Amino acid sequence: MTGSDLMRFAVNALAQHRRRTLLSLLGVVVGVVAVVSLTALGEGARRFVTDQFASLGSDVLMAMPGRNETTGGLPFAGGVPNDLTLEDARSIERQIPDIQRSVPISASTADVSRKQRSRQALVVGSTPGFRRVRDLQMLSGSFLPIVDLERGAPIVVLGQKIARELFEETEPVGQPVRVGGSRMRVIGVLAGRGVQMGLNLDDSVVVPVATGLRLANRASLTRLLLEVRPGADMEAVKEQVIDLLDDRHGEKDVTVITQEAVMSSLSSILQVLTLVVAGIAAISLTVAGIGIMNVMLVSVSERTSEVGLLKALGATRRQILLIFLLEAVLLSLAGGVVGLATGWLAVEVGTAIYPSVPATPPMWAVWAVIGVSFGTGTLFGVLPAWRAARLDPVAALQGGH
Amino acid sequence: MIVLEDVWRTYEMGEEVLHALREVSEPIPDGEHVAIMGPSGSGKSTLLNIVGCLDSPTRGRYQLDGREVASLDSDELAEVRLHRIGFIFQSFHLVPRLTALENVALPMVFAGIPPAERRKRAEATLERVGLMPWAGHRPGELSGGQKQRVAIARATIMEPGLLLADEPTGNLDTQSGSQVLNLLDRLNGEGKTLLVVTHDPNVARRADRVLVLRDGEIVRRVEGSQVSDLATLFGET
Ligand SMILES: Nc1ncnc2c1ncn2[C@@H]1O[C@H](COP(=O)(O)OP(=O)(O)O)[C@@H](O)[C@H]1O
Ligand SMILES: [Mg+2]
């Protein structure tokens, strides 16, 4: 019995019972859609989080205002912390030799407008060091020059997307814009970069840090990026920073994190998430598999006399096993393919409606779904097929009529 | 050549022991036409199933063409059923979703014969039973007599030497029944051994020999030409 004979026989048998075939397909489809959309969400969450912190760089410490009780975790505001000031930034750079560069960052949102066009944007206040720490490329013009740290200047570097939306084809460099009501001159446009550290720089504008603090109407920095000299012990430097700030503030009210610490605590959260997703996926595919098994058992018992006949005609056990197994595998594979398409569509529709939820089904999930639905069909198809192959021909022939 | 020696087929159901066949010893030479008669439950089908390698004796020996059937494994049995034996059933047993032609070709699928040759042979065989015009029809669209002729075409497609028919005319009217019987006679005339289980003396009369079973035992052996009516067959001897 050749492969195409088997295939024709199986397809023929499935086509005979359309409603039953469709119902069991539905089970697989639901399972697969669940897998695709859940892994898409999980993958989206993972990317979102890693995008935020992976780009910190392994030789960069990040300090932020607020005490952190759990070591290495994210800060949770407890009480009102002291400000993290420009003076703090300066003394760290001066007093700790292993810190090469201290980059203060303020962040706030403001309207950026030119003529009638206006966009809300993230306003990042920083220093020329920001460009080096973040390894930013310029599309045109130049980045922030060295200006007096406390005074700022009415100049702005635009993210690529903002620049395009405000200026379209016009060259922005040298042109005036208003940022949060202040008139500023565009001195450069950043090359596209995507999301970094939770900041989409394409959607942001960069101004001198003092200007940024004034626009935010705050004295405290949002972040302090500290570039550590290559080869230095990150943990030791981190302790030095914490001690220094403790001295300056009179209490430990600043959280200092390394990329490694953040990533390790995040990865344990993400692992749990992955496990949950995998668990739900496994359950739904098992349910689908049991559905297939059920359908195949019904099919075998309905076709008992047919099995008896096939045996009387000279079919071997192997051939009968393959006939029923192939039906189960076809059912689950078809379910897998339809489910993949539906799941993908669901994710596309979902991200179209909620663009802020970054969901993409990962490629491994696609292959896993195909593999698993093939496996499910085989696993849950074996028992019914085996039962058919083992039927006693005389009893089977009598059984059907 | 079929050789049955002291064949028993016993069913044990709890305490009860039921002998569907007992002490059956019978040689059947190649080419013979044998009718098997007997009241319902006397073991006719059981005997046919054992000869057809679908069932095996609880005790005793069965040799087919000099081979001990008990010694064959499941694949060898399938092989024997495929190439040596053609089955014809009272209830036709056609696969409802396949066309007449596909039903006839089915054994060739299991034999691994390529599609082009399958088609050619199935068409030739359907032609021989006079059903070529119905090649593309499904069993649901055929009359009982036509179905049984499709079944006969299927039983003979692998050119087996042995045809086993279990009440082949039991579900047919007289006219289509005699068409089917003529067909079987013709196949027997071509040298095939033919075993027919029947209740009908008119069917049995066509046979060379008639075996009469009662309670699993062969109680009489008569020549087909001497079958006159049921009373003489089943009456006490
Ligand atoms: N699978 C079985 N289990 C128990 N008894 C059976 C089974 N198959 C057949 N029998 C019994 O064996 C006897 C012979 O059956 P069978 O060969 O079908 O008779 P016939 O074909 O002559 O009507 C009957 O009494 C029947 O009830
Ligand atoms: Mg019977």
Side-chain angles (χ1 to χ4, degrees), chain B:
Chain B
M1 177 81 184
I2 294 165
V3 179
L4 297 160
E5 268 178 43
D6 191 23
V7 165
W8 293 65
R9 179 66 171 99
T10 308
Y11 291 106
E12 283 181 36
M13 292 168 297
E15 296 290 284
E16 278 195 42
V17 175
L18 190 141
H19 298 293
L21 288 179
R22 53 180 105 204
E23 279 194 324
V24 173
S25 296
E26 191 71 28
I28 300 173
D30 285 343
E32 196 177 23
H33 180 176
V34 177
I36 302 166
M37 297 195 78
S40 178
S42 58
K44 308 180 294 292
S45 296
T46 306
L47 180 58
L48 207 67
N49 289 335
I50 285 179
V51 171
C53 301
L54 288 177
D55 197 359
S56 40
T58 315
R59 223 179 88 186
R61 293 173 45 165
Y62 168 37
Q63 282 189 339
L64 180 62
D65 303 328
R67 282 215 287 178
E68 202 67 51
V69 173
S71 71
L72 304 180
D73 66 22
S74 112
D75 280 356
E76 289 168 322
L77 285 174
E79 169 86 13
V80 169
R81 296 196 285 253
L82 182 63
H83 291 284
R84 284 284 299 128
I85 296 163
F87 265 102
I88 296 140
F89 306 93
Q90 179 176 3
S91 52
F92 323 123
H93 277 298
L94 299 179
V95 181
R97 58 180 184 278
L98 301 182
T99 64
L101 194 76
E102 287 166 338
N103 266 288
V104 173
L106 205 47
M108 294 190 287
V109 172
F110 297 129
I113 292 169
E117 190 188 337
R118 287 206 303 252
R119 186 172 187 87
K120 214 176 70 194
R121 270 169 67 176
E123 282 175 354
T125 312
L126 264 187
E127 184 69 59
R128 271 164 56 96
V129 299
L131 286 179
M132 206 30 223
W134 280 270
H137 290 242
R138 280 172 225 284
E141 304 158 351
L142 302 178
S143 73
Q146 289 172 326
K147 283 187 214 172
Q148 198 60 300
R149 276 144 68 202
V150 171
I152 292 173
R154 182 179 63 189
T156 53
I157 193 82
M158 296 302 294
E159 313 264 327
L162 174 58
L163 288 183
L164 305 175
D166 196 343
E167 307 196 32
T169 57
N171 283 348
L172 301 181
D173 58 56
T174 324
Q175 203 206 328
S176 44
S178 69
Q179 269 185 337
V180 162
L181 292 171
N182 288 341
L183 206 49
L184 290 176
D185 276 349
R186 197 173 84 201
L187 290 163
N188 175 240
E190 291 166 8
K192 295 187 195 303
T193 312
L194 178 60
L195 267 64
V196 182
V197 167
T198 184
H199 279 302
D200 185 349
N202 294 320
V203 176
R205 207 170 284 131
R206 295 168 174 248
D208 301 321
R209 256 175 353 120
V210 181
L211 307 178
V212 181
L213 284 172
R214 191 189 300 138
D215 295 335
E217 245 179 310
I218 299 181
V219 289
R220 285 192 68 182
R221 296 172 174 83
V222 293
E223 279 186 30
S225 55
Q226 291 178 351
V227 174
S228 47
D229 58 70
L230 284 172
T232 53
L233 274 175
F234 295 165
E236 298 299 319
T237 41

Side-chain angles (χ1 to χ4, degrees), chain A residues 90-235:
Chain A
R90 199 167 356 210
S91 30
I92 288 173
E93 194 176 78
R94 286 204 188 124
Q95 293 176 31
I96 302 177
D98 278 340
I99 301 275
Q100 277 185 331
R101 191 177 285 126
S102 169
V103 181
I105 293 175
S106 73
S108 59
T109 50
D111 284 330
V112 179
S113 56
R114 172 189 176 245
K115 295 180 181 166
Q116 274 80 319
R117 289 167 200 254
S118 179
R119 280 273 279 109
Q120 189 159 74
L122 184 76
V123 181
V124 178
S126 196
T127 60
F130 185 67
R131 183 180 174 193
R132 283 187 218 116
V133 174
R134 295 265 60 98
D135 193 24
L136 300 175
Q137 303 298 316
M138 302 306 295
L139 192 67
S140 63
S142 56
F143 197 68
L144 298 175
I146 299 173
V147 297
D148 185 351
L149 206 54
E150 264 77 24
R151 280 195 44 209
I155 49 175
V156 61
V157 176
L158 300 182
Q160 193 186 34
K161 198 168 155 214
I162 292 278
R164 204 172 40 235
E165 284 174 6
L166 293 183
F167 288 90
E168 292 181 339
E169 301 303 312
T170 322
E171 173 55 58
V173 175
Q175 300 290 317
V177 290
R178 299 190 82 83
V179 179
S182 304
R183 200 182 141 88
M184 296 188 187
R185 189 167 53 86
V186 177
I187 58 164
V189 177
L190 292 171
R193 220 20 228 283
V195 179
Q196 273 196 338
M197 311 234 353
L199 311 180
N200 188 349
L201 284 176
D202 295 349
D203 254 339
S204 313
V205 301
V206 184
V207 297
V209 64
T211 312
L213 286 171
R214 204 182 67 244
L215 283 169
N217 196 18
R218 265 203 308 239
S220 179
L221 297 169
T222 317
R223 296 279 190 275
L224 190 53
L225 296 181
L226 303 168
E227 196 180 315
V228 178
R229 188 173 53 76
D233 178 355
M234 291 293 284
E235 282 303 313

